[in-house]
Amino acid sequence: MASGKPKKKNPRLASGRKRVRQDVKINAANTSLRSKYRTAVKNVEKAVLGGDKAKATELFAKMQAVVDTVADKGIFHKNKAARDKSRLSAKVKALALSAAAAA
């Protein structure tokens, strides 16, 4: 008898139906931005692990812009954005120092 999720009810009021339509669009936009954020962070981490100083520095600059815009829109908290930027900045700087020490 219990078939899992209960069936969603359609809102009766016009304002409720409009809200549902808007939520679908907003959810899609937020999901896209969240994905863009995570991809930008991941790309910098990959470059750091690969030891490519120039690529890591370039990707870090692009990542900062993405992280700031997403945080401004409220998709992620500003403190999370600052924390991610800080940690990646430290990794990129450490990579630059280790490359300079090796040379």
Side-chain angles (χ1 to χ4, degrees):
M1 298 265 179
S3 62
K5 285 187 177 178
K7 189 177 177 188
K8 283 246 180 183
K9 295 181 181 175
N10 288 332
R12 289 185 181 191
L13 297 176
S15 59
R17 290 195 300 268
K18 180 177 179 181
R19 189 76 219 160
V20 169
R21 286 195 310 269
Q22 288 175 329
D23 286 345
V24 170
K25 288 181 183 177
I26 292 167
N27 190 13
N30 289 350
T31 303
S32 172
L33 285 170
R34 202 174 301 119
S35 174
K36 194 174 184 181
Y37 179 104
R38 291 177 176 151
T39 302
V41 170
K42 195 186 326 171
N43 287 341
V44 175
E45 287 177 343
K46 281 183 184 176
V48 169
L49 285 175
D52 191 351
K53 178 188 156 201
K55 188 174 180 184
T57 308
E58 176 192 335
L59 287 172
F60 180 73
K62 289 180 182 175
M63 184 272 307
Q64 280 182 306
V66 171
V67 166
D68 286 336
T69 55
V70 171
D72 284 342
K73 292 181 181 192
I75 309 301
F76 283 112
H77 198 277
K78 287 182 187 287
N79 289 2
K80 176 183 169 41
R83 183 175 65 238
D84 285 348
K85 285 196 306 187
S86 174
R87 288 178 181 169
L88 284 173
S89 173
K91 287 180 183 178
V92 170
K93 283 181 184 173
L95 181 67
L97 289 175
S98 66

